[in-house]
């Protein structure tokens, strides 16, 4: 059951299209028109809506930008609707509105449900909404990597579950191997760094510096170096304040202040202001006494021992050796020692770390061997079913004798340490496992299976791709399929069969096909004509729905190049009648 439908697209200033509206519907829609009319722009437009690369060369000459707007009907619980709602988008009456603008300068903007979003989000929605197939997709199917992706997609959980575990283990192994390589290749440099750190820490430990010791010793050295001058100054100052016992006639400051105090005390009761000065004079007298006493004690306790000065200077020299190497002062030296001790612990633990990483690496390789074997087994089993289903589809596409198969191989590793074990052999492995997957085609009995890049013609490749998509539709369907000239290189009976298979696919999904073959277009539920006119200055391209006589005329043109040919008209009517009977 189709859960979403591409209902409408409006295309403005894109390639040869000036302004056109493409109205689509469920079922099978064929887009036809003369070469150069702009049919492929329909595919290009949808590609832009779904996050494709924005090429400024697509902007119509003379226009500032190209704009593509799409309306996709989705149910509220569909994954695309949920993802859009997470980005703040809103549904419009059960439809998701998407727009993409590409400026002539190359800038690109995207909107979903009225909300500006990154272009990458359109690609996320594309995975749930539409499968687009054009000529480049056919070429992509030629690449083994794309063939492996197709096989993995078909296998479903049988591959995706072990693949998720494998991918996680592979990423971890790469990280472990990188760290192990860094540790082992830089072992010499790290050993040298550890030796330098040990030497520095031993040198600091031998001196045993204390925080702030350098400042204390500097002050003490200054004091000891000027001991005589300090003692003399203290004695002179003391005599000036408290008097000299040996000079009884000398007048000292304490005596003078005491006399001044007595004079004020005698008259303080007569004036409060003078009483206040008398109090302050008493305070001065007390302060002079205190200073004089401290000067006397300083002079008595001053150490002028030259031996102590020598000890201080020797200690300062030892500390200076450290500050010249490890920091501007002792505080910086101690900080260096703390950081270096931590770094040395880290370096000394490298051997243990190398041992741990080596064990983890070996364990991860063992785990990858098991998972790689599981991937190989799951791919081999799925490949048989996938090839059988595609072969059956090819039988219905006028290739009754063709056989499709998969070659799943591994490459021997140079040695056991560079590979993982699969099937009892050490083989090369990578982020997707150890398997090299290649799709083979034997187009007729007796022909050896060959890679489709070498064994399939253009028409055969188109049918193989269609057969693959029809098989996918039964296992991993998307709501809408859009094919751009999937019938390239095909004609006659094969073209009829392609039309029939597309009609079958359209019973469970919306199918839009850009085609030049009337045999394919005849099977469509709805046919759109892309046509251009030239007024001498501006080429305009429009898209119209063909019904009745108009559809017969277009099929006649596609058959014979002449809309009014009676023979072509009869053939066109016969094609339509046959298609209606078979669908």
């Amino acid at each position: 059951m189709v859960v979403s439908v591409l209902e409408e697209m409006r295309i403005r200033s894109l390639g040869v299209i000036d302004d056109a509206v493409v109205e689509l519907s469920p079922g099978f829609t064929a887009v036809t028109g003369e070469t150069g009319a702009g049919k492929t722009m329909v595919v290009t437009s949808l590609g832009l809506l779904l996050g494709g690369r924005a090429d400024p060369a697509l902007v119509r000459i003379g226009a500032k930008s190209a704009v593509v707007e799409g309306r996709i009907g989705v149910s509220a619980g569909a994954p695309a609707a949920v993802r859009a709602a997470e980005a703040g988008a809103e549904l419009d009456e059960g439809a998701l509105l998407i727009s993409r603008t590409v400026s002539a300068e190359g800038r690109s903007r995207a909107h979903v449900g009225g909300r500006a979003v990154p272009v990458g989000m359109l690609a996320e929605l594309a995975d749930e909404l539409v499968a687009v197939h054009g000529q480049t997709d056919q070429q992509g199917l030629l690449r083994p990597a794309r063939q492996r992706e197709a096989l993995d997609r078909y296998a479903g959980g049988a591959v995706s579950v072990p693949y998720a575990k494998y991918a996680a283990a592979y990423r971890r192994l790469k990280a472990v191997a990188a760290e192990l390589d860094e540790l082992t290749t830089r072992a010499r440099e790290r050993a040298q760094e550890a030796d330098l750190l040990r030497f520095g820490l031993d040198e600091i430990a031998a001196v045993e510096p204390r925080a702030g010791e350098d400042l204390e010793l500097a002050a003490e050295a200054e004091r000891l170096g000027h001991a005589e001058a300090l003692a003399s100054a203290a004695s002179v100052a003391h005599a000036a304040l408290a008097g000299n016992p040996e000079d009884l006639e000398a007048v000292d400051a304490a005596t003078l202040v005491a006399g001044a105090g007595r004079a004020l005390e005698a008259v303080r009761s007569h004036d409060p202001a003078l009483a206040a000065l008398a109090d302050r004079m008493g305070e001065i007298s007390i302060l002079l006494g205190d200073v004089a006493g401290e000067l006397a004690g300083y002079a008595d306790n001053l150490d002028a021992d030259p031996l102590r000065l020598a000890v201080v200077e020797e200690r300062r020299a030892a500390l200076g050796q450290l500050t010249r190497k490890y920091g501007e002062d002792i505080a910086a030296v101690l900080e260096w020692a703390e950081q270096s001790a931590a770094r040395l612990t880290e370096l000394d633990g490298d051997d243990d770390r190398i041992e741990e990483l080596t064990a983890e690496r070996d364990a991860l390789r063992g785990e990858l061997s098991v998972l790689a074997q599981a991937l190989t087994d799951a791919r081999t089993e799925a490949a048989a079913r996938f090839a059988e289903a595609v072969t059956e589809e090819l039988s219905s596409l006028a290739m009754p004798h063709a056989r499709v198969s998969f070659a799943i191989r591994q490459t021997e590793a140079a040695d056991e340490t560079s590979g993982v074990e699969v099937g009892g052999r050490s083989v090369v492995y990578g982020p997707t496992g150890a398997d090299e997957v290649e799709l083979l085609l034997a187009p007729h009995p007796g022909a050896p299976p060959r890679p489709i890049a070498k064994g399939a013609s253009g028409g055969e490749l188109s049918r193989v791709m269609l057969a693959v998509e029809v098989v996918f539709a039964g296992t991993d369907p998307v709501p809408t399929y859009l094919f751009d000239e999937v019938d390239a290189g095909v004609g006659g009976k094969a073209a009829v069969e392609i039309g029939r298979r597309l009609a079958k696919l359209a019973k469970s999904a919306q199918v839009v096909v850009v085609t030049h073959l009337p045999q394919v277009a005849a099977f469509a539920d709805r046919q759109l004509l892309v046509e251009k006119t030239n007024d001498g200055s501006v080429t305009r391209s429009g898209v119209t729905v063909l019904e009745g006589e108009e559809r017969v005329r277009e099929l006649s043109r596609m058959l014979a190049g002449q809309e009014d040919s009676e023979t072509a008209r009869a053939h066109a009517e016969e094609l339509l009648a046959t298609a209606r009977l078979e669908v």
Side-chain angles (χ1 to χ4, degrees):
M1 180 180 179
V2 179
V3 296
S4 69
V5 175
L6 178 61
E7 299 176 349
E8 182 179 277
M9 281 197 306
R10 183 177 183 183
I11 308 167
R12 287 180 288 173
S13 302
L14 185 71
V16 299
I17 298 179
D18 179 29
D19 190 345
V21 175
V22 181
E23 296 180 359
L24 301 168
S25 63
F28 181 5
T29 299
V31 181
T32 64
E34 293 184 357
T35 300
K39 300 188 300 297
T40 299
M41 286 297 105
V42 175
V43 180
T44 302
S45 299
L46 187 56
L48 288 173
L49 280 183
L50 300 175
R53 187 176 67 89
D55 185 354
L58 295 173
V59 179
R60 185 176 172 83
I61 296 175
K64 294 182 178 180
S65 61
V67 180
V68 181
E69 299 168 309
R71 180 182 178 89
I72 302 177
V74 294
S75 58
V82 173
R83 180 66 187 92
E86 290 173 353
E90 296 181 359
L91 294 181
D92 178 32
E93 297 181 354
L96 195 59
L97 303 181
I98 301 176
S99 70
R100 181 84 179 274
T101 303
V102 180
S103 72
E105 292 78 25
R107 293 188 300 273
S108 174
R109 298 193 307 274
H111 291 80
V112 175
R115 179 65 60 91
V117 298
V119 173
M121 183 184 168
L122 299 185
E124 291 182 37
L125 297 177
D127 292 337
E128 302 291 343
L129 295 173
V130 181
V132 180
H133 295 283
Q135 295 298 309
T136 56
D137 298 279
Q138 291 188 34
Q139 296 304 312
L141 190 62
L142 299 178
R143 299 198 300 270
R146 285 289 296 276
Q147 294 167 16
R148 180 197 53 75
E149 291 172 4
L151 178 59
D152 288 354
R153 176 184 163 195
Y154 177 80
V159 165
S160 64
V161 173
Y163 179 79
K165 297 178 181 178
Y166 177 93
Y170 181 84
R171 289 192 298 269
R172 178 56 189 163
L173 177 59
K174 285 300 180 184
V176 167
E179 184 178 355
L180 191 57
D181 182 64
E182 195 271 341
L183 288 176
T184 53
T185 56
R186 291 188 54 204
R188 179 178 299 176
E189 292 90 334
R190 297 168 79 89
Q192 291 173 347
E193 182 185 358
D195 287 344
L196 289 174
L197 292 176
R198 287 193 188 92
F199 178 83
L201 290 170
D202 290 344
E203 191 173 17
I204 294 171
V207 176
E208 295 183 339
R210 293 184 293 104
E213 184 182 4
D214 51 341
L215 300 178
E216 295 173 4
L217 291 175
E220 185 177 1
E222 185 72 13
R223 185 170 63 253
L224 291 172
H226 299 83
E228 292 184 3
L230 293 172
S232 175
S235 297
V236 171
H238 178 268
L241 294 179
N244 187 348
E246 298 178 359
D247 186 3
L248 299 177
E249 295 183 357
V251 180
D252 58 83
T255 300
L256 294 174
V257 170
R262 287 193 296 274
L264 294 177
E265 284 292 334
V267 296
R268 65 177 297 157
S269 61
H270 302 304
D271 189 349
L274 197 62
L277 292 173
D279 291 339
R280 293 171 63 188
M281 190 62 70
E283 295 171 359
I284 292 173
S285 180
I286 294 171
L287 182 60
L288 283 174
D290 292 342
V291 173
E294 291 181 14
L295 285 171
Y298 176 84
D300 291 340
N301 296 328
L302 189 61
D303 186 2
D305 185 0
L307 294 179
R308 173 59 186 167
L309 178 60
V311 170
V312 169
E313 291 296 350
E314 182 179 356
R315 180 65 177 171
R316 292 185 69 199
L319 295 179
Q321 292 283 348
L322 300 181
T323 56
R324 279 193 293 274
K325 293 181 180 180
Y326 308 111
E328 60 183 12
D329 53 27
I330 292 302
V333 169
L334 293 173
E335 182 180 358
W336 181 91
E338 181 180 359
Q339 295 175 349
S340 297
R343 174 60 176 164
L344 184 59
T345 300
E346 178 185 337
L347 293 173
D348 287 341
D350 278 355
D351 290 341
D352 294 337
R353 181 60 177 159
I354 288 174
E355 185 176 344
E356 293 174 3
L357 290 172
T358 301
E360 185 179 2
R361 180 199 62 191
D362 294 343
L364 285 168
R365 279 181 176 166
E367 183 182 355
L368 284 177
S369 293
V370 174
L371 292 169
Q373 183 68 65
L375 284 174
T376 298
D377 293 343
R379 283 169 176 157
T380 301
E381 189 278 331
R385 292 187 291 109
F386 192 16
E388 182 179 357
V390 173
T391 296
E392 185 177 346
E393 285 299 325
L394 288 177
S395 178
S396 301
L397 290 172
M399 295 178 67
H401 304 297
R403 293 292 180 270
V404 168
S405 60
F406 277 95
I408 300 178
R409 298 180 290 263
Q410 298 82 33
T411 300
E412 293 277 353
D415 53 69
E416 292 185 359
T417 61
S418 63
V420 296
E421 185 175 329
V422 175
R425 300 178 301 142
S426 179
V427 299
V428 175
Y429 65 100
T432 61
D435 302 318
E436 299 171 11
V437 177
E438 193 164 33
L439 185 62
L440 307 178
L441 175 68
H444 53 81
R450 301 181 63 194
I452 60 172
K454 301 176 180 178
S457 65
E460 289 170 338
L461 181 59
S462 296
R463 281 176 278 177
V464 170
M465 189 183 73
L466 177 57
V468 167
E469 203 59 73
V470 170
V471 170
F472 277 147
T475 58
D476 183 25
V478 294
T480 299
Y481 295 89
L482 194 149
F483 295 93
D484 181 16
E485 297 193 15
V486 70
D487 49 20
V490 176
K493 182 179 179 181
V496 173
E497 294 301 333
I498 286 180
R500 184 177 289 115
R501 301 312 286 171
L502 288 170
K504 177 183 176 182
L505 182 60
K507 291 185 180 298
S508 59
Q510 181 184 33
V511 176
V512 180
V513 179
V514 176
T515 182
H516 66 282
L517 291 181
Q519 296 94 327
V520 173
F523 279 89
D525 302 306
R526 183 186 183 101
Q527 184 170 347
L528 303 180
L529 174 64
V530 180
E531 56 184 347
K532 65 178 181 179
T533 58
N534 195 330
D535 59 6
S537 60
V538 177
T539 299
R540 296 179 179 273
S541 187
V543 181
T544 56
V545 179
L546 299 180
E547 296 179 351
E549 180 63 23
E550 292 178 340
R551 189 172 183 186
V552 173
R553 285 174 58 83
E554 172 61 9
L555 289 175
S556 298
R557 182 199 63 78
M558 297 172 70
L559 282 164
Q562 299 175 359
E563 297 90 335
D564 299 324
S565 166
E566 290 300 326
T567 302
R569 286 177 58 82
H571 192 182
E573 290 172 350
E574 181 182 1
L575 274 177
L576 285 172
T578 302
R580 291 192 185 101
L581 288 174
E582 296 189 11
V583 174

